Amino acid sequence: MHLADEAWPELEAYFEEESLAIVPLGSTEQHGPHLPEGTDHLIAEAFADEAAARTGYLRTPTVTVGVSPHHRQFPGTAWVDAPVFRDYVESYVRNLAYHGIDRVVFVNAHGGNVQHLREVGRRLRDDDVAYAVEWMWDESIPDLVDEVFAHNGPHAGPKETALIQHLHPDLVHEDRLEEARDGGAIDPEASIRTRNGSRTFYDCVENSSNGAFGDQTDASAEKGAELFDAASDQLEKLCEWLAARDWDELRAPERVTA
Amino acid sequence: MHLADEAWPELEAYFEEESLAIVPLGSTEQHGPHLPEGTDHLIAEAFADEAAARTGYLRTPTVTVGVSPHHRQFPGTAWVDAPVFRDYVESYVRNLAYHGIDRVVFVNAHGGNVQHLREVGRRLRDDDVAYAVEWMWDESIPDLVDEVFAHNGPHAGPKETALIQHLHPDLVHEDRLEEARDGGAIDPEASIRTRNGSRTFYDCVENSSNGAFGDQTDASAEKGAELFDAASDQLEKLCEWLAARDWDELRAPERVTA
Amino acid sequence: MHLADEAWPELEAYFEEESLAIVPLGSTEQHGPHLPEGTDHLIAEAFADEAAARTGYLRTPTVTVGVSPHHRQFPGTAWVDAPVFRDYVESYVRNLAYHGIDRVVFVNAHGGNVQHLREVGRRLRDDDVAYAVEWMWDESIPDLVDEVFAHNGPHAGPKETALIQHLHPDLVHEDRLEEARDGGAIDPEASIRTRNGSRTFYDCVENSSNGAFGDQTDASAEKGAELFDAASDQLEKLCEWLAARDWDELRAPERVTA
Amino acid sequence: MHLADEAWPELEAYFEEESLAIVPLGSTEQHGPHLPEGTDHLIAEAFADEAAARTGYLRTPTVTVGVSPHHRQFPGTAWVDAPVFRDYVESYVRNLAYHGIDRVVFVNAHGGNVQHLREVGRRLRDDDVAYAVEWMWDESIPDLVDEVFAHNGPHAGPKETALIQHLHPDLVHEDRLEEARDGGAIDPEASIRTRNGSRTFYDCVENSSNGAFGDQTDASAEKGAELFDAASDQLEKLCEWLAARDWDELRAPERVTA
Amino acid sequence: MHLADEAWPELEAYFEEESLAIVPLGSTEQHGPHLPEGTDHLIAEAFADEAAARTGYLRTPTVTVGVSPHHRQFPGTAWVDAPVFRDYVESYVRNLAYHGIDRVVFVNAHGGNVQHLREVGRRLRDDDVAYAVEWMWDESIPDLVDEVFAHNGPHAGPKETALIQHLHPDLVHEDRLEEARDGGAIDPEASIRTRNGSRTFYDCVENSSNGAFGDQTDASAEKGAELFDAASDQLEKLCEWLAARDWDELRAPERVTA
Amino acid sequence: MHLADEAWPELEAYFEEESLAIVPLGSTEQHGPHLPEGTDHLIAEAFADEAAARTGYLRTPTVTVGVSPHHRQFPGTAWVDAPVFRDYVESYVRNLAYHGIDRVVFVNAHGGNVQHLREVGRRLRDDDVAYAVEWMWDESIPDLVDEVFAHNGPHAGPKETALIQHLHPDLVHEDRLEEARDGGAIDPEASIRTRNGSRTFYDCVENSSNGAFGDQTDASAEKGAELFDAASDQLEKLCEWLAARDWDELRAPERVTA
């Protein structure tokens, strides 16, 4: 069920039975010349909907804007500063906890959010408020992703392209896939600026002129569907595992004594 | 156009021509036993879409969670604390300004956000970053609203009911309209706790047992459509007016000299 | 009794018996060409003194500077930024609570403080520290105010003029009452800039060239005395009502269950 | 002139000519069994009024509550936490600077505020906003104070007693002067808890059972008048000196080059 | 040269010629039963000293305490909360910039600091204050590290053991190397708790009972010396590269135009 | 014992027996032409090591950078802004408290840190987290210091010179002692800018052209040794006294009742 679609009596019934919430988070940022800027939050939302449908757990509204200053040179990238993002997510979850939520799955589709969600998750656990896990779809099926695509790309690559082709085909500029590949960084390892073990870039544009990585022409809606189903299986299992835990299993460990 | 649906080359073209953004904001909070908790953000989003479609101006993703602690006693109400909300909106708009946006229409459908949007708007203007106006649909057509409904209600009343009947009929519990009215506060003026000129309540539940105000049975999708069109006319005009201003007209006034 | 005038043994005796404090708050901001900038805090202080004298409850020192950035174009307006004001009042009351204060009447005479006092009051109640009500004199006697003056004005109008004529006649420039009226906005509804339901101003000077509203020539010390007495009756009742409550009546309501 | 008493046209005239403001600050905290809790802010206010009268410079409303957590064990002590106090004073002065104020005399009568005013003053100078000096009356006439009283006492001692006897005789409990002396710490050096070079107390009550220091029976209104006049001479000179400086003299020094 | 060891005339001479600073950062946290808690900051300090000696660039005092809440269950782990760490490093570097520093090498030996240093580095570059690169010794020589050790371990493993054996042999409990291996997590990939693509731990103790990873018995001072020299070569090159850049090369890129 | 040098099993044993930590703090700031900028933290560290060696109590890593903006005009002075310093120390100690530390000796050798350590110490005691005392070596032996040197100087004077001559003779520019004296402010009372009881300076350079005070030629390593031993005796006693207290003796006093 989707929190935004329900009236409060239905939600009361949910909180009497369950204490898990699925919170989708993404970004609104450039995804190459061929994908919509909402790519990450559209993907997160689709997985959250699917998991809610499969499991019956509650999903909340999507956090559509994340930590994306590294994409700002490309027109339209929206973002909030990192401290603001953390405070926003923390306040959001603390207030969900008022209703009895004590475990959260962050269905996150933007790599730039990960460390911030982990930092917030730590505070929430350390304060004994809630236990939150951060989940990214592609990290749940790394072997399959590698198997399906030759040139993956961490951002705006074939895996994200395939997912949007599957989920929102009207939002893909199919006629720009070659342009995305040729004007971008087909081989991320070769493109990403590092030197003597240090990253010497802060912004995406320093590594890819058009903001895309990998070979987008390798993507298809069929591959997208396959990936979506496979990752949804993982998310479903994660939700069920988390819901089945006793709260004491999830709390911060005690101090070590030798 | 919707920022989330576009790729960056289209957005680049937009920013070359225009400097206005429409930002929809609402809440996710109880709206009586009959309406979905997303009522406010669904309404804001619909108006933003309509205005973008009519005018061609850009609309951004919706801020779906607002300042709603006063509804928290009702299950499911989501909120972020007021300082967090202000910082979030401020950071959001400041970063839009990186792309050249210097005027913003906050299409807001939650009364609890108003003062915070005004506070943020002031900071943005005082810092010479952007000029933002806060707009609520019902305040743009007060006479029509009064004319259409006998018992209005500031929250979860017939006007919001009618809008959701029009926009998302599947999300309305039509069988609970009488319950909403009878278990709530049909006459807000009589229900709201004040004493000697002072408000002696902080939470909605102190004024309405089921979270609703006014007479919901008076609502209909037809009335919703009428209100939606009338308010959209107002919003369209506001956008056009704002876009046509010179920046110097919008800046903070100079100090007075007698 | 006035906290500032007493030595600690007298205050110890008070806290043994009572847990209510009256906190006057105002502003120091332009009030047209005819009134002193301290108008709001002088009014608040007078009401607090009167209520303390009538009821025996403790009043604290006055918060003389408030949230007045919207008057800054007029020379002399002093203000603190809104977040600072909120933190200041919150810290002030939290520390009064150390002595046993658990209920507070904010005797406030500046409209620009209202939302901030409500926000602080909410935090204090949600944290179970204290229950604070915000009170403005003119809102406690709206019918009388309307009856006495034809052209009211929300700021620097006849009602404030009359009060200062009554309380501090030496601080009124009687020879500028016509100038105040003629150079200001006699009819606020006509002057305040709104458009399509949206406020398109942030600063007072955008609505009134000299910072005043209404017809000041209609004011007199006699009317001021009448208003002061009538509103003091209201404040007295509010204090007595609040003091008589059990703490459990004042705490935040529990979560709703259907 | 007192900012709160003037209307904006008079203040406009002032700012056209002058850029100095006198800001009185004190505390509201226990001052032994014999003095009112407002002692510090009443003293600061009196000096500010006197300086304004003598020099014609503007004085602002008094900051009546300061950093006094160390007196909180005594009933009635009001305070704001140190970070809040600093932010409040900083925001206050930054906003005065909007009107052209670039030099400020903090007429401060509470020792607990000193370090915070210095910290704020540094930020204001480092940011090239304003140059603020912190002034305490007794530090301007140390020899005279030592000459007049045998047992001085840093707090609620004869010097503060004498000043209140002079300024507000009705607020002194003359019949408790012996009690103040005998129940307090007549010899501060002997009473203040230090050990091996370290202060081992945080709160006043750890050093004085009734909150007072020194020999209060040595105070008189005549001595208070003498001290007030002598210190007022110093303050007057300080204001004139500060007003006469070029702004470049007051700015932070440049980096050193050998 | 080490900033702490020099007097200001020598430093003045440095700033006249150079604008680069080497800032060592580590942590003070458990490193298994066999290594000192200062391991990370001792390593960082040694590399910073070596780089300063080789290149002549300035190194600053070491930041010895970092973001280590994930090790807190083991006695003695010291840490500051993540927001505090970020603010501290940011303030530190902003103030170095007062002297002309515009490029910084963070010689960091604690993985838990990385994301925070990157976040701070971004702010500094976005604000045009300084360009900072974050460098970890083992990431500069990944192939060599893999070649030298069979079971590496991300924390308190053979690579850190070898370095401390080389740098501070007296601080290694040589008699506990087997205990470290056998009571810890020799194979990190097998030990680290993940599930369905999600990390389901927050604290080190959840993955290793004694806080160590890898096979510590494989370490030796000789291997430590080899690694230290090889990584020092990398750091030296990085410093020279950074110092040779024009400032314009280091600034944030401009907005993209198609 | 030094926390950074120990492995966690040794620290576990310590926390089982003791709850006291010695935290050295200093600064990195100009100390005249003759002393290293690390003077203050080197001194603090030496005292902390000595006290730890004598008493067996734990000392933590040194906080090497403090609140030194007033020395920034001299090249190389490092500092963090005052609010950052306070938050850093507070977070540091709060996290030590996780391990059972409830009493702390701040071995501080920088006057500019004092008020901030006291402010932090107050918060920690008021929150019932820990009791911290701030200790400066020269304040523990004021008579001896006065006896040994004719012209003391609060900063970079003979007492600090002597200590560094004793502790780190290689870091003293012995050939610049006369220059330090003659180019600085040999008689601080005469040099420090005050006027009418007000300090009219913010930065050290306003009082001393080369950053030094007093007569440095009067210093010697022998005098340094004598002072170090005498002050170490004081510190040792302070540690023993503090460790011997019951926790209830250290907590904040209760409210006063007459």
Side-chain angles (χ1 to χ4, degrees), chain F residues 228-249:
Chain F
F228 185 78
D229 286 343
S232 293
D233 290 346
Q234 297 295 319
L235 178 56
E236 183 182 350
K237 284 176 194 159
L238 180 65
C239 292
E240 297 297 3
W241 172 82
L242 185 59
R245 300 277 72 66
D246 283 337
W247 176 236
D248 279 347
E249 284 182 69

Side-chain angles (χ1 to χ4, degrees), chain A residues 62-207:
Chain A
T62 306
V63 176
T64 55
V65 174
V67 183
S68 308
H70 49 302
H71 290 292
R72 77 196 192 289
Q73 282 84 3
F74 294 95
T77 295
W79 78 99
V80 289
D81 296 338
V84 172
F85 180 78
R86 287 187 294 262
D87 287 349
Y88 186 82
V89 175
E90 183 173 342
S91 185
Y92 193 171
V93 176
R94 282 185 187 271
N95 293 334
L96 287 175
Y98 176 89
H99 300 294
I101 294 296
D102 65 8
R103 58 205 72 194
V104 169
V105 180
F106 289 134
V107 174
N108 173 42
H110 173 48
N113 292 344
V114 175
Q115 68 192 57
H116 308 295
L117 295 173
R118 291 287 292 171
E119 183 173 329
V120 169
R122 158 168 295 288
R123 286 185 217 163
L124 293 169
R125 186 166 82 151
D126 286 359
D127 289 356
D128 220 34
V129 168
Y131 183 82
V133 293
E134 185 273 343
W135 181 84
M136 284 190 79
W137 69 273
D138 52 331
E139 297 200 354
S140 76
I141 50 167
D143 296 339
L144 180 59
V145 171
D146 282 345
E147 187 187 307
V148 173
F149 302 116
H151 293 276
N152 243 325
H155 178 79
K159 65 188 175 190
E160 293 185 336
T161 304
L163 249 72
I164 299 295
Q165 285 171 323
H166 168 56
L167 297 168
H168 297 280
D170 51 311
L171 297 182
V172 181
H173 294 264
E174 292 286 342
D175 57 336
R176 297 180 187 167
L177 298 187
E178 292 190 13
E179 174 194 342
R181 180 193 60 198
D182 299 342
I186 189 169
D187 182 0
E189 301 230 347
S191 308
I192 289 177
R193 293 191 194 174
T194 63
R195 180 176 292 272
N196 309 117
S198 178
R199 281 176 279 178
T200 52
F201 67 92
Y202 280 101
D203 290 315
C204 174
V205 71
E206 296 172 275
N207 293 320

Side-chain angles (χ1 to χ4, degrees), chain B residues 54-205:
Chain B
R54 290 185 181 199
T55 63
Y57 294 121
L58 183 72
R59 81 107 161 154
T60 71
T62 306
V63 176
T64 55
V65 175
V67 183
S68 309
H70 49 303
H71 291 291
R72 76 198 195 286
Q73 281 85 3
F74 294 95
T77 295
W79 78 97
V80 290
D81 296 338
V84 172
F85 179 79
R86 287 187 293 261
D87 287 350
Y88 186 82
V89 175
E90 182 172 342
S91 185
Y92 193 172
V93 176
R94 282 186 187 272
N95 293 333
L96 287 175
Y98 176 89
H99 300 293
I101 294 297
D102 66 7
R103 58 203 74 194
V104 169
V105 180
F106 290 134
V107 174
N108 173 42
H110 173 48
N113 292 343
V114 174
Q115 69 192 58
H116 308 295
L117 295 173
R118 291 286 293 171
E119 183 173 329
V120 169
R122 155 167 297 287
R123 288 185 215 161
L124 294 168
R125 185 165 81 150
D126 286 357
D127 290 355
D128 219 33
V129 169
Y131 183 83
V133 293
E134 186 271 344
W135 180 85
M136 284 190 78
W137 69 273
D138 52 329
E139 298 201 352
S140 76
I141 48 167
D143 296 340
L144 180 60
V145 171
D146 283 345
E147 182 187 311
V148 172
F149 302 117
H151 294 276
N152 244 324
H155 178 78
K159 65 188 175 191
E160 292 186 335
T161 303
L163 249 73
I164 299 297
Q165 285 171 323
H166 168 56
L167 297 168
H168 297 279
D170 52 312
L171 297 182
V172 181
H173 294 264
E174 292 285 345
D175 56 335
R176 296 181 188 166
L177 298 186
E178 293 191 12
E179 175 194 341
R181 179 194 60 198
D182 298 341
I186 191 169
D187 182 0
E189 301 231 348
S191 309
I192 289 177
R193 293 190 194 176
T194 62
R195 179 175 291 272
N196 309 116
S198 177
R199 281 176 280 177
T200 53
F201 66 91
Y202 280 101
D203 290 315
C204 175
V205 71

Side-chain angles (χ1 to χ4, degrees), chain D residues 144-206:
Chain D
L144 180 60
V145 171
D146 283 346
E147 186 187 309
V148 172
F149 302 116
H151 294 275
N152 244 326
H155 177 79
K159 65 189 174 190
E160 294 185 334
T161 303
L163 251 72
I164 300 295
Q165 285 172 322
H166 168 56
L167 297 168
H168 297 278
D170 51 312
L171 297 181
V172 181
H173 294 262
E174 292 284 346
D175 57 335
R176 296 181 188 167
L177 297 187
E178 293 191 12
E179 174 194 343
R181 180 193 60 197
D182 298 341
I186 189 169
D187 181 0
E189 301 231 346
S191 309
I192 289 177
R193 293 190 194 176
T194 63
R195 180 175 291 273
N196 309 119
S198 178
R199 281 176 279 178
T200 52
F201 67 91
Y202 280 101
D203 290 314
C204 174
V205 71
E206 297 173 273

